[in-house]
Amino acid sequence: MRTPRTAATIAAGTILLPFMLGTGPAHAAGAEGNLILIGGALNENAQILQRIVADADPDGSGPARARIAVVTAASVPAATAAEAGDPAQSNAAANGLYYGDLFEQYGADAYLVPIDIETNYAGDPYVPGNAYSTTVADQVRASTGVFFSGGDQSRYVETLLDCAPAAGDAFTDCVDTPVLGAVRSVLDAGGVVAGSSAGLTIQNGADMVTGGESYEAWRYGAYAGTGVGADDLTYSPFGGFAFFTEGLLDSHFGTWGRQARMIALADETGHDLVVGVDETTALVYDRATRRGEVIGVNGVSILDLYGAAITGDRAEYVRWDYLVNGDRIDFSTLAVTASATKRSGAGTGSGPNLKRDIWDSPAGSGGTYSMVAQAKALVKSSADVAQGTTWERNPRYRTYLDRVSATRWWSTGGFEGLEVSFIRE
């Protein structure tokens, strides 16, 4: 088992920080700009949209306006011109119209980046070749912010990176296209890059998750690529755009019970930190200070594997922090500043009953946020442990959530220092 990190050992330099331990690139000294990492289901959340526009405003509240370049290449291509022109449809062109109008409602100008994975009809302006267009790149570079919409993050790799082919669609030896280079220049100049769902995940560095469910992750392991099986855990070793390199990123996190899948992926790929963002929630990350702030409706999970013991059939001593609106984290120390007073020790009332389908399997009957709900109920109760099992029985995995001496919780729904274990029965 690895030695748990503490604030003292980090300050003394006696352990390596998580961004140094994984296979991804180290944090870039002097990096500029903000990332706004949205876990999906933006739902036109005013707090998040206002923050994107405010961070992209070049002069605060002055006469200049934010200009958001809207990238939607993770979506499916439009089949016809009529579909492309209908904001109610779900395709790359239509999604561009939708998000462009949304940002304009919040006081920003929008540039719709006409890039897609393929051309489907005569006169289609969304074409793969535009990723290499100097005209499009210049339009992006003239923006003060960039927004990546949802879909499939692998489509962003295929459209905005120039990669050598590899077995299993794993992608390797990738370099920026001119348009991605322009996005990078917006960020490096102090602009904002926001993304929702796949638009969050693509901002990861090496070993970006590309698909899979928690149960299959533990049953079968992780595979490089994008198409091994519908529910199998897959990842891209090269990763995404590497704007965020503190740890592995995942979206729809507590919503879809993805804690177990990302612990499996982190262990497989040698990463010590996972950052999972729930729906209608965002982590605002300042690259210069390495500090993050949570905004929105739900929460952000920080899973620390540094002191964990993980084998093929169990994971133990994973530390789980769950941050909610107004909470902050310093990634250089992993210190959490809560928006309310932290409490130690037990609360009142009995602990939660055993939760069936705690990983929120698609095959099960459980609802969403099952593990988050168990954890919140535990820390506020007089109990020291809560349990849950997978819906699947062959084999079945049991989850233990343990209150330990480092566990703290606060009235707004956040907590830190809860221990998570998964054991195959």
Side-chain angles (χ1 to χ4, degrees), residues 74-345:
S75 303
V76 297
T80 66
E83 287 187 3
D86 182 359
Q89 297 291 318
S90 181
N91 60 66
N95 290 347
L97 293 173
Y98 167 77
Y99 283 111
D101 178 68
L102 191 58
F103 285 119
E104 288 175 354
Q105 290 178 37
Y106 281 84
D109 296 324
Y111 169 63
L112 311 186
V113 182
I115 296 173
D116 209 341
I117 200 166
E118 61 186 15
T119 303
N120 273 351
Y121 60 90
D124 186 355
Y126 277 67
V127 297
N130 278 343
Y132 299 87
S133 165
T134 56
T135 299
V136 174
D138 287 344
Q139 290 283 353
V140 172
R141 193 173 290 106
S143 302
T144 56
V146 181
F147 176 79
F148 291 96
S149 70
D152 183 344
Q153 55 265 33
S154 297
R155 291 194 181 108
Y156 280 135
V157 175
E158 294 184 59
T159 52
L160 293 175
L161 285 166
D162 190 351
C163 304
D169 298 325
F171 304 117
T172 186
D173 297 329
C174 300
V175 296
D176 289 358
T177 60
V179 166
L180 181 55
V183 173
R184 210 174 293 278
S185 70
V186 170
L187 186 60
D188 290 343
V192 60
V193 171
S196 179
S197 189
L200 169 152
T201 309
I202 193 60
Q203 299 188 48
N204 212 165
D207 306 317
M208 176 187 72
V209 66
T210 56
E213 301 293 340
S214 284
Y215 180 80
E216 283 74 15
W218 281 88
R219 183 72 175 87
Y220 304 112
Y223 306 90
T226 59
V228 175
D231 293 326
D232 287 352
L233 175 59
T234 56
Y235 68 99
S236 171
F238 177 85
F241 301 156
F243 297 151
F244 182 89
T245 57
E246 302 285 5
L248 295 180
L249 280 173
D250 203 2
S251 60
H252 305 278
F253 200 67
T255 323
W256 293 356
R258 287 179 161 174
Q259 296 92 339
R261 91 164 183 175
M262 291 306 289
I263 289 173
L265 181 58
D267 181 61
E268 170 72 21
T269 56
H271 293 265
D272 287 321
L273 209 67
V274 171
V275 178
V277 185
D278 295 345
E279 292 182 355
T280 325
T281 307
L283 175 68
V284 182
Y285 174 73
D286 185 320
R287 295 205 309 161
T289 65
R290 298 181 60 202
R291 292 174 181 167
E293 174 190 359
V294 177
I295 60 174
V297 175
N298 296 296
V300 173
S301 291
I302 310 296
L303 298 176
D304 185 351
L305 281 69
Y306 191 81
I310 301 177
T311 63
D313 60 358
R314 65 174 55 209
E316 298 178 281
Y317 314 120
V318 176
R319 176 189 166 108
W320 183 12
D321 298 344
Y322 187 75
L323 284 59
V324 296
N325 187 48
D327 295 342
R328 299 172 183 268
I329 182 170
D330 184 339
F331 281 98
S332 67
T333 61
L334 299 186
V336 171
T337 302
S339 57
T341 301
K342 292 183 181 181
R343 299 182 60 178
S344 60

